[in-house]
Amino acid sequence: MSKAQIDLANLDFSCTYSFEEFELINEQLKTRSLEVNGQPVNLFDLDKNGKLVPMPQATHCMEVTVGEIVRQLGNWNIQTRQNGDVKTAQGGFDFSVGGQRTIRAPDVSFTPKAISRQLTELQRWTFQGQPFTPTFVVEVGDSQSSTSAFRELDDKFKREYFAVGTSVQLGWLIDPKNRRIWVYKRNKHGNVYHRERVWEDVEGGDVLPRFTLKMLMIEEAISQESSESSSENEELQIDCPECDTTFSDHYTFMEHYTNEHACKRRRNR
């Protein structure tokens, strides 16, 4: 089916769409805008029945939170040489829920190299290969935006991300507006459970070894305020532990260390 055969202005949400049609619709949304029930939409998921699920655009602070989580997770991925894949909601996964293929795009996800390096070209570039899923997922949202908001998010974790047969081992539901965190895991019997955490740093445990999400950094990203004192903004002298280069600010040092040392180690492995 060609792009011309799919009219974004007249999508029928009661109809079933194929994977090829689903991909064409999302491809068009990269350069076009669409409103569904008064909400701007730039991405669709596909449920187990082949129905389109609109994904409304995130508000400013929610998307800033996603960006900060991706930044911290990406730095950890490089610095600890995980060599895995960090993805945002622009990258969907082909979940198999109840025996039916379902396309879902978590706000943030991590797929370890043991999975990503085994993917075929069909799996990498389309949704038509064998289903595969990440080991870690994050949803960022307002759990109190409506009476059903938390239930809908909770169901997404329990019924889809942690469905039988998926690789997901850890999930975080993060609500920066109301400062709430829920952690999702499987127990020894494979059943999914969640626990609410206080609004403080949360660790990745065995799924994300040595990773800790710093909530203060999320708060600073949202508020655009820095916790650095005036003395910390004075000129510094930072010596690279790997070479003889000296830097006068943290950003340049981190960029140098990542590009010249951490990334080179990854390429040489």
Side-chain angles (χ1 to χ4, degrees):
M1 177 177 290
S2 67
K3 293 183 180 180
Q5 292 176 284
I6 296 180
D7 183 3
L8 289 182
N10 293 292
L11 293 176
D12 188 344
F13 295 105
S14 65
C15 287
T16 298
Y17 288 85
S18 68
F19 281 96
E20 292 81 0
E21 292 169 329
F22 164 76
E23 289 179 314
L24 286 172
I25 290 169
N26 275 342
E27 183 67 25
Q28 290 190 65
L29 285 174
K30 292 180 179 179
T31 56
R32 295 181 57 183
S33 59
L34 180 68
E35 284 195 3
V36 178
N37 297 325
Q39 294 289 326
V41 171
N42 63 351
L43 189 70
F44 284 100
D45 280 350
L46 194 69
D47 72 13
K48 64 181 181 181
N49 298 313
K51 303 291 181 63
L52 294 173
V53 180
M55 302 297 291
Q57 294 179 3
T59 61
H60 173 77
C61 286
M62 293 299 178
E63 194 59 25
V64 168
T65 300
V66 169
E68 176 57 27
I69 295 171
V70 169
R71 186 192 69 79
Q72 293 187 40
L73 191 63
N75 287 345
W76 163 83
N77 186 41
I78 292 173
Q79 292 165 6
T80 62
R81 308 181 195 177
Q82 299 295 317
N83 297 333
D85 296 334
V86 178
K87 294 169 64 174
T88 66
Q90 287 295 319
F93 287 92
D94 189 352
F95 286 82
S96 178
V97 179
Q100 301 295 321
R101 301 178 76 175
T102 303
I103 304 298
R104 283 289 183 260
D107 287 330
V108 183
S109 65
F110 177 74
T111 305
K113 66 179 180 181
I115 295 176
S116 63
R117 289 186 176 180
Q118 295 180 6
L119 300 179
T120 65
E121 288 299 297
L122 197 62
Q123 289 172 303
R124 290 179 180 277
W125 294 102
T126 75
F127 290 107
Q128 299 171 39
Q130 287 296 313
F132 72 96
T133 53
T135 56
F136 170 65
V137 295
V138 180
E139 285 290 331
V140 176
D142 182 354
S143 62
Q144 299 178 17
S145 61
S146 68
T147 56
S148 62
F150 175 76
R151 186 182 70 249
E152 292 172 357
L153 290 166
D154 187 59
D155 283 347
K156 181 182 288 189
F157 276 94
K158 292 180 176 178
R159 299 178 184 275
E160 297 179 358
Y161 294 156
F162 281 84
V164 175
T166 73
S167 302
V168 178
Q169 302 173 35
L170 176 66
W172 293 344
L173 171 54
I174 296 179
D175 179 353
K177 183 177 181 180
N178 301 292
R179 296 168 61 88
R180 304 182 72 179
I181 306 170
W182 290 266
V183 176
Y184 290 78
K185 295 181 179 180
R186 303 180 196 266
N187 62 22
K188 63 181 181 180
H189 302 295
N191 298 319
V192 185
Y193 69 93
H194 73 254
R195 289 179 178 170
E196 185 170 2
R197 295 279 306 273
V198 296
W199 184 259
E200 61 182 21
D201 295 353
V202 57
E203 296 183 352
D206 294 337
V207 180
L208 307 173
R210 293 188 286 163
F211 177 68
T212 300
L213 182 66
K214 304 293 186 181
M215 308 313 292
L216 178 59
M217 292 185 177
I218 290 178
E219 293 174 356
E220 289 183 351
I222 293 173
S223 67
Q224 293 296 301
E225 295 179 356
S226 174
S227 61
E228 292 185 349
S229 65
S230 58
S231 62
E232 290 175 315
N233 289 324
E234 295 176 358
E235 186 171 323
L236 302 172
Q237 180 173 318
I238 305 172
D239 297 323
C240 177
E242 303 284 348
C243 62
D244 296 328
T245 311
T246 300
F247 302 89
S248 60
D249 65 90
H250 291 99
Y251 173 77
T252 307
F253 164 67
M254 290 300 297
E255 184 179 40
H256 161 82
Y257 190 88
T258 298
N259 294 335
E260 297 300 322
H261 303 297
C263 286
K264 281 186 176 180
R265 289 196 189 99
R266 294 178 70 193
R267 289 193 293 267
N268 293 333
R269 291 184 67 181

